Amino acid sequence: MSKVLIVAELDGGKLRTATLSAIGFAKKMVEATGGAFEILILGRDVTAAAESLRVYGAAAVLVADHVALQNPLADKYARIIADVAHERQTTAVAGAVSTFCKDILPRAAALLDAAMLSDVVEVRPEEDGWVFKRVMYAGNILATVSLRGEARVFSIRAAAFPPPVKGEGDSPIVPVSVRADELPAGTEFVERAIRTSTRPDPTEAKVVVSGGRGVKNAEDFERLIGGLADALGGAAGSSRALVDAGIAPNSLQIGQTGKMVAPDLYLAVGVSGAIQHLAGVKDAKLIAAINKDPEAPIFEVADYGVVGDLYQLVPELIGLLKK
Amino acid sequence: MMEPTRETFGNIPPSSQVVFYVVMAFSMAVCVRGIWCRYRLWRMGMPSGLRSLVCGNARQILEKIRPHVHRLWVEGFAQKRVKGRGLPSRAHAALVAGFLMLFLGTTLLEINHLAMMISPSLEFHKGLYYLIYEVTLDVFGLFLIAGCVLFGIRRWQRPPSLGHRLSDWYVLGILLVLGVTGYFVEALRLAWQAPPVEWARWSPVGWQLEKCFFAGWDETTARSVHFKVWWFHSLLVAVFVASIPYTRLLHFVTSPLNVFFARPAMGALPPVSIEDVEKYERVGVGEITHFTWRQLLSLDACMECGRCEEACPAHATDKPLSPRRVVQDLRELMAERGRGSERHLHGETIQAETLTSCTACSACTGICPVRVDPLGLILDMRRNLVGEGGLSGAAATAMRKMQSNANPWGLPLDERVNWAEGLGVPVCRNKPDFEILYWVGCAGSYDRRAQRVARAVVRILIHSGVKFAILGSEEKCTGESARRLGDEFLFQELAQANIATLDKYGVKKIVTHCPHCLNSLLKDYSQFGGQYEVIHHTQLIAQLIREGKLKLPEVEAEAPGSITYHDPCYLARVNGIHEPPREVLNEVLGGGGCGGGCESHCGNGGGKISEIPRNREKTSCCGAGGGRMWMEEDPKHRVSTVRAREALDTGAQTVAVGCPFCLTMMTDGVAAHGSEARVMDVAEIVAERLDGDGLP
């Protein structure tokens, strides 16, 4: 018998789709050995999001709605998660792998004195317990592990569990009482800075178009790299050289000292392919490169490559894509 | 005719002589007390293992002490390392020569005086000896004065790297006045003594002064003034002696001591054992008292001449690091701690940014005239900084990846050997017959650019019929940058794994294209039981050319000077390997092998590479050493940009390097200047010539 508690994640009042994968995980556990799962949603004015969660077959949608929970501060959220899990005799707490859960779940696990597994990609029952698979060392190792103890906390890799199909909207909504004055107040919310860019973050996008030293100035970067990214519905990225030169913003830097990306398609435009940059794209599924130097090391890692001037090729490519 | 001499303490009544001796005894007591106080400060430090110097029988002790004594002679007395800085070096030589000779003269005079107290027949201060004595001291006195004047001018101009205290004027002033009044005492003595001209002219300076100022003085006046000037001079000597430990004059004592006790070991770091960590509950140096007492002594040997600061690549690019400042700040902290201050080392004296700015290029340690080792101090503090969790950001990520995947980029272990696909490279696991192991290193294994270097090396080895093998996926990062960054235990973990693998295959001789791997395999690994002969690929290539095993096909020779060579710190400065790469490159330029070490005709001229002004041991860092490869650097002030400028200013179209880190940094630097010059490893330049030999 399992009793699973899923922690839902909101982004600006809207439910993040990764939460559905966590529900998929919960369903898998429940289907295997029986039991039930509940969804806990925390925040302020979350009624709409809570309503949308009633259709997945949860035993209850628990709503902690309070002004003190307006922003996801780990110390407050973790305390409520731990209290709810304790009260409802939960055997497993789970959420999707995200910055939100990385921040909050380990703290909740500590409060529950529970073992925790991150990056879980598989779960199956075994004799008297469960066996999990999780990725380690940036995807180089798949570890098979089991946990001791009653309570367990998990973060779930979204891609590993399919979102559940919608059913009838019949899960009851159960309010959770929040006593704000008893919550920890160690962290203070200062501000929320939102990227103004309309493009997705390179770490989340399925397609990343990245510019290197071949791009001469900021206008060209926006026009060519940004333009191509928009045409492909992807994110823009940059090598260190462009960030150094002030052509691309720091937040777009990809590589050992920048962001690690794992898109389905990585399009390297005018990027020579220094190891410091390539270390950041090693998880890309497909790499394509445009460079005028046929000797550029990028062609050694690229699945497809075009030798040519990006100033000629990229506008053509954008033109073709727009047709 | 009477034998030439002069009366010791002539014109000085016995009462004054007694007072003089009392004053001098007091002055020396003040001096000794001052030195004792410094000694007590040094003793706050940890034991230095110097006891082992005096263990064993007399012969063993002599053997152990011999290099120290030799150094004291060559570098202390003969000032070998002070040389080479133009005028300031000459000024110092003049000052030392003058001072030592006058000190010797005064000592001899004193010995003569004491001898005569025992028996007048023991007097030796007379005759020809006396005349030579007089003329020698007269001449060396001029050296002393010249040294003071030259140093005075230097202090007046005060270059920014030169440390300055108000007391430095006092030191130069008192030395100058001592020199000048010494001559006046002599002139006045000649005035009242009126010796024959044949004697007097042996004291040329004093004699000229006498003729200028005191000619025609009667004896009584001359005696009276002589007495007064003598007292002035003598009291000044007393003040001078007493002030030795409280001014820069302390280096009379500390610099020779430091030169004697120094254990020069460029590129070697003392290992940290788990036992020590458990015993002291810390790694590295967290407080001033955690340094060894030898290191604390070295702080007092520093005279702030600023050579280290001028050589420091971090300082040259506006990083918050000056080796001179670090040494001086520590010295100040040591003195404060002696007075009971509780000020801490990390954060309150030395900032973390200062420690992480160091590229471990060893230029400071290599250039210090008195063998202070700022790099050793910095790395000891870094160990503590990193041990306490003070490393963050990109470098910390690289270390984490090095721990998990045995390479700083965190790339999969099983891809380590992908670069060699299709080359037919023998791998140790398949038990090939090999004489030399080719250590590829992480860059050669994973960096697409450096992989070409590895392939070039392999091509040369196969072409020349060298029996070699690689470890393949069993090779791990040497841990060099982890160690230099301060993560000693990550290094030891990797070193032990590598040593086990190397020993498993009975490796005796290793060739590598990476100077950091070379230094680590040679000097770090020997501390953990790994004893190997390690050579750089340029050494092997030079040898193959010399032995005729590698012949470069004749092609239209490139223009002389079309290639320049950037010496890697850990090859040229730290391990003294700088001629083999030049030999190889000159061969490429059609200059023919010149046997190495031929400074005279390798520098420039027909068929030779063009030289960057700072070359060989004086090379300047590319910016990637000491783990800086894994850190972000402000693009406006990059070490690599500065060094690339120097290389491009030679006018060469190819910048040759001998290190994968240099390859990355110089490529970036050359690109930052918008230059089209090629940056290539020496092996690539050679392999290019082998095109068409049918090998892949």
Side-chain angles (χ1 to χ4, degrees):
Chain A
M1 277 282 282
S2 301
K3 194 148 187 222
V4 187
L5 180 68
I6 296 302
V7 180
E9 184 178 342
L10 296 176
D11 188 9
K14 281 170 69 182
L15 193 70
R16 287 199 57 171
T17 46
T19 301
L20 298 182
S21 296
I23 295 173
F25 165 83
K27 284 201 144 183
K28 215 168 168 192
M29 280 189 97
V30 172
E31 277 162 18
T33 57
F37 75 94
E38 296 169 333
I39 303 171
L40 171 63
I41 182 162
L42 307 96
R44 189 186 177 200
D45 299 335
V46 294
T47 326
E51 282 297 329
S52 73
L53 285 169
R54 296 180 62 189
V55 295
Y56 296 109
V61 174
L62 312 169
V63 180
D65 199 330
H66 195 278
V67 64
L69 301 176
Q70 178 155 12
N71 297 296
L73 295 176
D75 51 359
K76 294 188 174 63
Y77 272 43
R79 172 64 59 85
I80 290 176
I81 293 168
D83 286 350
V84 169
H86 191 73
E87 234 168 66
R88 305 189 78 88
Q89 295 173 333
T90 302
T91 58
V93 177
V97 172
S98 65
T99 314
F100 172 84
C101 281
K102 264 186 191 165
D103 191 22
I104 287 162
L105 287 186
R107 199 178 274 264
L111 291 173
L112 287 167
D113 196 18
M116 167 148 187
L117 276 183
S118 57
D119 295 281
V120 174
V121 290
E122 200 184 308
V123 56
R124 62 186 152 83
E126 217 183 61
E127 291 172 27
D128 52 346
W130 296 91
V131 170
F132 304 89
K133 283 197 177 158
R134 64 181 292 252
V135 289
M136 290 170 68
Y137 297 135
N140 288 318
I141 288 179
L142 204 57
T144 306
V145 277
S146 62
L147 294 179
R148 281 198 208 123
E150 268 305 298
R152 307 173 180 99
V153 180
F154 307 97
S155 68
I156 307 302
R157 281 240 170 163
F161 296 93
V165 280
K166 286 185 189 175
E168 294 299 307
D170 56 358
S171 304
I173 294 214
V174 181
V176 175
S177 68
V178 177
R179 302 176 68 175
D181 51 333
E182 285 179 13
L183 289 175
T187 326
E188 191 192 339
F189 180 83
V190 179
E191 67 166 332
R192 182 179 168 94
I194 301 165
R195 253 181 330 111
T196 47
S197 170
T198 51
R199 292 180 198 121
D201 189 279
T203 54
E204 290 178 352
K206 293 235 185 270
V207 175
V208 174
V209 181
S210 190
R213 212 186 284 276
V215 181
K216 296 285 177 257
N217 55 53
E219 292 82 64
D220 291 350
F221 182 83
E222 181 49 38
R223 180 169 62 88
L224 300 173
I225 306 303
L228 188 52
D230 291 342
L232 288 164
S238 160
S239 79
R240 201 188 68 178
L242 290 191
V243 176
D244 285 357
I247 292 173
N250 221 329
S251 59
L252 296 189
Q253 184 177 331
I254 289 165
Q256 174 96 344
T257 53
K259 287 180 168 157
M260 311 285 279
V261 298
D264 292 342
L265 169 65
Y266 185 78
L267 186 50
V269 181
V271 173
S272 68
I275 179 76
Q276 305 288 58
H277 182 73
L278 294 182
V281 298
K282 67 187 166 73
D283 294 329
K285 290 204 178 78
L286 190 80
I287 297 179
I290 297 174
N291 203 302
K292 66 177 174 190
D293 175 14
E295 297 283 301
I298 188 76
F299 287 124
E300 291 174 29
V301 287
D303 301 285
Y304 298 94
V306 184
V307 177
D309 184 3
L310 72 94
Y311 277 87
Q312 185 207 329
L313 288 169
V314 174
E316 272 180 40
L317 205 52
I318 295 174
L320 287 171
L321 284 165
K322 278 188 177 161
K323 269 186 195 168
Chain B
M1 184 180 146
M2 256 179 73
E3 227 183 339
T5 185
R6 70 173 163 93
E7 191 191 342
T8 314
F9 287 115
N11 193 36
I12 309 303
S15 58
S16 281
Q17 291 183 30
V18 172
V19 175
F20 170 76
Y21 275 114
V22 171
V23 168
M24 278 315 291
F26 179 72
S27 148
M28 282 182 202
V30 172
C31 173
V32 168
R33 185 185 174 277
I35 295 172
W36 173 253
C37 288
R38 297 315 291 188
Y39 173 77
R40 290 222 334 242
L41 291 179
W42 310 332
R43 295 297 298 187
M44 295 188 305
M46 307 288 294
S48 202
L50 283 175
R51 196 150 290 174
S52 68
L53 263 187
V54 288
C55 285
N57 61 36
R59 179 185 232 144
Q60 289 167 327
I61 292 174
L62 211 63
E63 261 325 291
K64 277 187 279 192
I65 286 188
R66 189 202 297 275
H68 296 259
V69 175
H70 180 256
R71 223 172 26 240
L72 187 61
W73 177 253
V74 175
E75 295 171 13
F77 184 74
Q79 307 267 304
K80 188 180 162 211
R81 288 167 69 95
V82 183
K83 287 178 189 153
R85 212 191 194 190
L87 203 61
S89 293
R90 290 196 196 104
H92 191 263
L95 205 54
V96 171
F99 182 84
L100 283 183
M101 189 53 83
L102 290 170
F103 180 71
L104 180 71
T106 313
T107 313
L108 286 171
L109 194 63
E110 189 51 42
I111 292 171
N112 181 67
H113 189 226
L114 294 174
M116 280 177 69
M117 282 183 193
I118 299 162
S119 156
S121 67
L122 289 173
E123 183 187 11
F124 58 84
H125 198 67
K126 60 184 180 185
L128 184 61
Y129 163 86
Y130 167 71
L131 295 177
I132 294 173
Y133 175 96
E134 286 291 304
V135 70
T136 311
L137 260 63
D138 246 40
V139 170
F140 276 86
L142 288 177
F143 283 144
L144 178 82
I145 290 173
C148 287
V149 172
L150 288 174
F151 269 146
I153 295 170
R154 182 167 163 76
R155 293 242 160 235
W156 187 254
Q157 294 172 337
R158 203 177 303 159
S161 64
L162 181 69
H164 187 76
R165 304 176 204 154
L166 208 57
S167 65
D168 295 336
W169 286 120
Y170 160 79
V171 167
L172 284 180
I174 198 168
L175 274 167
L176 185 67
V177 175
L178 274 175
V180 172
T181 53
Y183 280 123
F184 274 94
V185 172
E186 182 175 62
L188 285 158
R189 192 255 306 161
L190 292 171
W192 66 255
Q193 192 193 14
V197 172
E198 300 86 73
W199 301 7
R201 69 176 179 212
W202 288 87
S203 308
V205 182
W207 192 39
Q208 289 304 321
L209 283 178
E210 194 258 350
K211 284 201 288 190
C212 280
F213 294 104
F214 315 120
W217 281 31
D218 63 87
E219 189 185 332
T220 326
T221 318
R223 275 184 180 273
S224 151
V225 177
H226 172 260
F227 178 72
K228 284 173 192 146
V229 177
W230 179 88
W231 258 121
F232 178 71
H233 182 78
S234 301
L235 286 177
L236 217 52
V237 170
V239 171
F240 175 83
V241 170
S243 53
I244 287 174
Y246 311 100
T247 59
R248 270 196 218 286
L249 296 168
L250 180 64
H251 84 289
F252 292 176
V253 181
T254 50
S255 295
L257 269 182
N258 194 56
V259 165
F260 179 83
F261 284 125
R263 274 184 291 191
M266 291 271 269
L269 279 175
V272 176
S273 70
I274 287 286
E275 291 73 36
D276 279 351
V277 175
E278 280 170 358
K279 186 166 151 196
Y280 300 117
E281 295 180 330
R282 61 173 163 82
V283 189
V285 167
E287 288 299 340
I288 188 79
T289 50
H290 299 165
F291 284 114
T292 66
W293 79 265
R294 202 177 53 76
Q295 285 175 311
L296 294 183
L297 158 67
S298 79
L299 303 178
D300 267 344
C302 170
M303 287 297 107
E304 296 189 76
C305 71
R307 294 184 199 211
C308 52
E309 191 176 291
E310 284 169 17
C312 178
H315 187 265
T317 49
D318 298 331
K319 308 285 186 301
L321 164 64
S322 150
R324 172 176 72 89
R325 211 49 271 154
V326 167
V327 171
Q328 287 300 313
D329 288 348
L330 291 175
R331 179 176 168 275
E332 181 55 36
L333 181 65
M334 170 174 75
E336 272 186 33
R337 180 55 69 97
R339 294 194 291 268
S341 155
E342 294 285 307
R343 183 154 67 101
H344 290 293
L345 195 163
H346 288 279
E348 291 177 21
T349 308
I350 305 287
Q351 306 302 324
E353 297 75 39
T354 300
L355 298 177
T356 51
S357 292
C358 174
T359 68
C361 76
S362 310
C364 52
T365 300
I367 206 163
C368 179
V370 294
R371 291 213 182 263
V372 179
D373 179 14
L375 175 62
L377 302 171
I378 289 171
L379 293 184
D380 277 345
M381 290 185 280
R382 257 195 196 180
R383 281 174 165 174
N384 191 267
L385 182 76
V386 173
E388 299 293 325
L391 190 69
S392 60
T397 311
M399 291 306 105
R400 207 188 63 229
K401 289 175 173 172
M402 197 183 279
Q403 182 146 37
S404 57
N405 283 27
N407 72 76
W409 299 287
L411 295 167
L413 272 174
D414 58 5
E415 287 177 17
R416 200 173 175 99
V417 78
N418 286 6
W419 65 274
E421 224 163 86
L423 295 182
V425 179
V427 180
C428 283
R429 189 183 285 134
N430 304 329
K431 307 255 182 296
D433 176 28
F434 70 97
E435 279 159 12
I436 190 162
L437 180 95
Y438 175 31
W439 183 273
V440 185
C442 298
S445 300
Y446 293 106
D447 179 349
R448 300 281 157 171
R449 182 66 192 83
Q451 283 180 357
R452 294 182 188 170
V453 178
R455 286 196 286 264
V457 171
V458 163
R459 176 179 202 164
I460 293 166
L461 295 179
I462 294 177
H463 182 95
S464 316
V466 177
K467 283 187 183 170
F468 75 103
I470 61 168
L471 285 180
S473 56
E474 285 182 276
E475 183 186 284
K476 289 169 184 278
C477 176
T478 52
E480 191 269 349
S481 56
R483 193 172 210 207
R484 299 300 175 291
L485 208 49
D487 198 339
E488 176 73 6
F489 293 109
L490 171 55
F491 160 76
Q492 289 190 14
E493 201 180 307
L494 290 164
Q496 272 149 9
N498 280 323
I499 289 170
T501 311
L502 290 167
D503 290 351
K504 180 170 75 178
Y505 294 118
V507 173
K508 298 271 181 300
K509 191 170 176 181
I510 301 174
V511 62
T512 177
H513 64 252
C514 174
H516 294 270
C517 294
L518 178 139
N519 185 71
S520 203
L521 290 166
L522 194 65
K523 292 179 175 167
D524 290 339
Y525 280 34
S526 57
Q527 296 170 347
F528 300 92
Q531 300 284 349
Y532 316 104
E533 185 192 339
V534 192
I535 60 170
H536 192 237
H537 68 316
T538 57
Q539 288 175 292
L540 184 60
I541 296 171
Q543 186 195 335
L544 291 170
I545 292 175
R546 253 176 294 175
E547 290 171 352
K549 290 178 183 160
L550 176 64
K551 287 202 176 69
L552 299 184
E554 288 291 328
V555 294
E556 199 179 325
E558 285 175 67
S562 62
I563 301 179
T564 188
Y565 175 67
H566 157 75
D567 284 282
C569 301
Y570 273 78
L571 197 64
R573 179 168 30 247
V574 175
N575 286 291
I577 303 166
H578 39 67
E579 292 316 314
R582 287 179 168 74
E583 224 178 303
V584 174
L585 292 171
N586 287 334
E587 182 74 24
V588 169
L589 287 178
C594 40
C598 49
E599 191 94 24
S600 54
H601 67 283
C602 264
N604 36 41
K608 307 297 182 217
I609 63 167
S610 49
E611 292 285 1
I612 305 174
R614 293 198 277 178
N615 61 46
R616 297 182 169 86
E617 283 100 344
K618 297 265 188 305
T619 186
S620 184
C621 187
C622 70
R628 293 283 308 171
M629 180 76 184
W630 320 121
M631 296 182 200
E632 278 295 8
E633 197 180 357
D634 174 8
K636 286 190 198 70
H637 304 285
R638 267 193 192 143
V639 176
S640 59
T641 320
V642 173
R643 186 59 177 169
R645 184 74 265 159
E646 291 179 34
L648 292 173
D649 283 346
T650 63
Q653 291 94 54
T654 303
V655 179
V657 295
C659 169
F661 286 177
C662 296
L663 183 64
T664 302
M665 299 311 260
M666 294 300 276
T667 306
D668 271 9
V670 165
H673 290 297
S675 163
E676 295 286 311
R678 303 189 303 168
V679 181
M680 293 176 87
D681 188 274
V682 175
E684 292 182 290
I685 296 173
V686 171
E688 220 175 36
R689 277 297 178 83
L690 302 177
D691 274 345
D693 64 355
L695 288 170

